[in-house]
Amino acid sequence: MTVEVTWYGHSVALVKTKEITLLIDPFLTGNAKAPITVEDVKPDVIAITHGHADHLGDTVAIAKEHGTLCVSNFEICNYLEAQGVQNIHPLHIGGGFNFPWGRVQLTIAHHGSSLPDGSYGGSPAGLLLSFAGKTIYHAGDTGLFYDMKLIGERRLDLAMVPIGDNFTMGPDDALRAVELLEPKIVVPMHYDTFDVIEQDPNHWALQVERKTDAKVRVLAPGESVTL
Ligand code: NI
Ligand code: MN
């Protein structure tokens, strides 16, 4: 079965199989790079890596409108529940759950995670997804860490890694990340949304393809990669 992953700018990704659509970090309102709005999405599931507004994004509005299942860490799920979101599944770092449509596991990420109201968002996370025989790693916001090697041992069909620098790994560390993760395909994310994270993804792609066996797909917002 194929899995289609569409990038909507920043860290927003829509993972689609025959069975399910899962939207990651739905930062659409206020995201100048996003070619779609909240009205255009009706996902079955939303997965949130951490509490920052450029990741939590429109989660509450979408989930309340459609009754969408929200998967995130315990603290963020509690926050969502307090906002009136009813369909939640809390996980925490290292833990995963086998849903009928696939597995979602939270990985470590080195970052912060305050929520929009200033409350504690728990540890930030990355996402390891196993759907339809494919394994996808969405790193969330993070600096480089050597344990990416362990994540790579899962044999990743796709890795989505931040390259923007300033708030996350920059291009050089993201290249090291690809060396550790050894994914078949890598998609750069979390760049060009704000002035301080402007990068040249095509230059990065050349370097990555020179030094690793990963194929880099530099997507325009709204473009997809099929696994
Ligand atoms: Ni963040
Ligand atoms: Mn961010």
Side-chain angles (χ1 to χ4, degrees):
M1 209 193 301
T2 59
V3 180
E4 188 184 71
V5 181
T6 307
W7 183 63
Y8 290 117
H10 211 56
S11 301
V12 190
L14 183 71
V15 183
K16 201 171 156 187
T17 69
K18 249 186 202 151
E19 290 184 310
I20 189 97
T21 56
L22 181 145
L23 185 59
I24 300 172
D25 286 357
F27 170 49
L28 300 173
T29 304
N31 176 358
K33 300 284 175 190
I36 56 166
T37 68
V38 183
E39 280 76 46
D40 301 317
V41 292
K42 197 185 167 186
D44 300 303
V45 185
I46 297 174
I48 306 114
T49 61
H50 65 290
H52 291 159
D54 59 319
H55 297 262
L56 188 71
D58 298 295
T59 298
V60 172
I62 298 167
K64 282 169 91 167
E65 175 73 17
H66 303 294
T68 315
L69 172 66
C70 292
V71 181
S72 192
N73 72 19
F74 179 74
E75 290 82 358
I76 290 172
C77 283
N78 278 349
Y79 170 84
L80 292 174
E81 203 170 31
Q83 304 293 312
V85 174
Q86 291 179 343
N87 200 359
I88 51 167
H89 186 111
L91 295 171
H92 232 304
I93 306 295
F97 188 77
N98 297 321
F99 295 93
W101 36 264
R103 179 174 174 83
V104 181
Q105 184 177 357
L106 297 190
T107 67
I108 59 169
H110 293 296
H111 193 62
S113 181
S114 51
L115 286 154
D117 64 358
S119 63
Y120 174 59
S123 303
L127 299 166
L128 195 54
L129 310 173
S130 310
F131 288 1
K134 301 291 190 320
T135 304
I136 298 167
Y137 170 56
H138 183 290
D141 278 2
T142 187
L144 177 66
F145 55 93
Y146 196 75
D147 288 357
M148 284 179 174
K149 185 104 186 142
L150 284 174
I151 296 170
E153 285 174 7
R154 306 290 181 92
R155 294 173 180 260
L156 306 175
D157 294 288
L158 172 68
M160 300 186 74
V161 297
I163 67 161
D165 213 351
N166 198 81
F167 298 115
T168 67
M169 300 187 280
D172 293 345
D173 281 354
L175 167 57
R176 286 290 290 125
V178 179
E179 287 175 337
L180 295 169
L181 291 165
E182 297 186 90
K184 280 189 195 149
I185 300 172
V186 61
V187 169
M189 64 177 184
H190 212 275
Y191 64 91
D192 284 4
T193 330
F194 319 119
D195 291 350
V196 293
I197 60 171
E198 275 177 12
Q199 297 296 341
D200 180 348
N202 293 309
H203 176 70
W204 183 76
L206 284 175
Q207 290 183 307
V208 172
E209 291 197 342
R210 197 175 298 145
K211 292 201 166 174
T212 76
D213 293 328
K215 179 152 185 44
V216 184
R217 292 288 310 274
V218 175
L219 300 178
E223 248 188 327
S224 305
V225 53
T226 302
L227 310 175

